[in-house]
Amino acid sequence: MTADDSFSRLDDDDYPAYTMGRAAEMLGTTQGFLRALGEARLITPLRSAGGHRRYSRYQLRIAARARELVDQGTPIEAACRIVILEDQLEEAQRINAEYRRAAESANPTAAA
């Protein structure tokens, strides 16, 4: 891997760039909270060669949303389920928009 390859990964939302300590610090939470999210299977951090948890920016966004819900009084299990459903809805809406665009480009007169 070249230095250019390493830097290009910094823009990758799924690249596990953050240690558990750094992730907890960025979210303003504890490492235990991140472990609890893993136990609830909301996020599954990748492991380094030494077995340390590594988090991506995408996982940090998911964890931040869960923390927001927990801070509002939602039990962690319910917060995890809400976040999963929100994420699934967003993905379904993205896919529907792609289908709509594809249908409109295939038949531009029907869209008018």
Side-chain angles (χ1 to χ4, degrees):
M1 179 183 305
T2 66
D4 287 338
D5 292 338
S6 296
F7 287 121
S8 67
R9 291 183 130 181
L10 294 176
D11 291 333
D12 183 353
D13 251 9
D14 296 317
Y15 181 68
Y18 304 97
T19 64
M20 177 179 271
R22 180 68 180 129
E25 179 183 311
M26 290 170 67
L27 295 171
T29 190
T30 65
Q31 293 180 15
F33 179 77
L34 291 173
R35 280 190 212 92
L37 295 181
E39 290 169 10
R41 295 194 172 123
L42 178 62
I43 55 176
T44 304
L46 291 176
R47 298 283 182 147
S48 68
H52 300 283
R53 290 173 179 89
R54 300 287 179 170
Y55 297 89
S56 68
R57 289 189 309 195
Y58 172 75
Q59 289 172 324
L60 294 182
R61 281 196 303 275
I62 295 291
R65 176 64 179 136
R67 180 171 187 253
E68 181 180 305
L69 291 167
V70 169
D71 287 350
Q72 293 172 0
T74 306
I76 193 163
E77 297 82 11
C80 290
R81 185 68 182 138
I82 290 167
V83 172
I84 289 167
L85 291 170
E86 288 174 343
D87 197 48
Q88 289 173 343
L89 176 61
E90 184 179 321
E91 179 66 8
Q93 289 172 331
R94 185 191 62 75
I95 290 168
N96 284 341
E98 285 178 16
Y99 286 145
R100 257 193 256 52
R101 282 192 295 275
E104 288 170 1
S105 66
N107 191 2
T109 57

